Amino acid sequence: MSIIKYTSKDVDLMARMMRAEAVGEGKMGMMFVGNVIVNRAKADCLDFTDVRTARDVIYQVQGGNYSFEAVQKGSMFYQPARDAERRLARKNLKFWRRHPSKYSLWYFNPFAPCPPTWYGQPFAGQYKNHCFYEPAAGSCDSVY
């Protein structure tokens, strides 16, 4: 059983994004990025009411830019998916969820301590260089 519907192309795309965004943080860091992708597709709230697949999430444009910087700037994102990252993506899609990204919809690398909120959303936790943020209480029950 999966959290969201997906195809083999979705797995490849998600694997590429996970690697591009977090390869330097190892398998766990890539899994946390995968959680955020799945959570955004599952969420039916805030900025995520019109995204339902990994592809929708990864290519979502907000404020004139892609939501994930790797789509615009990441040469690693445009390299073929590798089997190791495909396995991680499938694991995410089949319900792997863990703190700090278990319910997170956002993450970023601040190059400084993680702020307690980010655009009004509470800090969920940190893994290596990435800070993860969950939706504020009552603002997005569909992610839980």
Side-chain angles (χ1 to χ4, degrees):
M1 172 140 168
S2 63
I3 300 174
I4 60 171
K5 292 181 182 181
Y6 65 93
T7 67
S8 62
K9 287 184 179 186
D10 292 323
V11 171
D12 281 357
L13 184 63
M14 192 164 147
R16 290 172 30 216
M17 180 56 69
M18 291 164 66
R19 181 177 72 215
E21 290 282 318
V23 69
E25 298 192 355
K27 290 179 182 179
M28 189 65 73
M30 289 187 281
M31 292 296 290
F32 290 143
V33 168
N35 270 170
V36 170
I37 294 168
V38 170
N39 289 345
R40 286 181 179 189
K42 183 177 183 262
D44 190 18
C45 58
L46 305 169
D47 295 331
F48 311 107
T49 57
D50 60 347
V51 294
R52 291 292 161 261
T53 67
R55 180 177 186 76
D56 291 344
V57 170
I58 290 168
Y59 288 114
Q60 183 183 29
V61 174
Q62 295 177 311
N65 294 305
Y66 288 106
S67 296
F68 292 95
E69 191 172 303
V71 177
Q72 274 174 201
K73 300 179 183 176
S75 61
M76 192 176 296
F77 175 68
Y78 291 99
Q79 296 174 8
R82 300 183 301 194
D83 287 340
E85 286 87 18
R86 280 189 197 103
R87 282 191 294 276
L88 297 177
R90 280 190 208 92
K91 194 172 182 178
N92 273 125
L93 290 160
K94 292 180 180 175
F95 209 76
W96 184 94
R97 296 172 95 182
R98 188 171 295 165
H99 179 77
S101 66
K102 187 172 184 176
Y103 304 115
S104 294
L105 293 174
W106 306 275
Y107 64 89
F108 79 110
N109 180 347
F111 300 104
C114 298
T117 61
W118 193 52
Y119 293 101
Q121 307 305 326
F123 176 63
Q126 181 173 357
Y127 183 76
K128 295 190 178 183
N129 293 323
H130 283 104
C131 305
F132 292 86
Y133 294 83
E134 296 180 358
S139 68
C140 189
D141 293 339
S142 59
V143 80
Y144 296 99

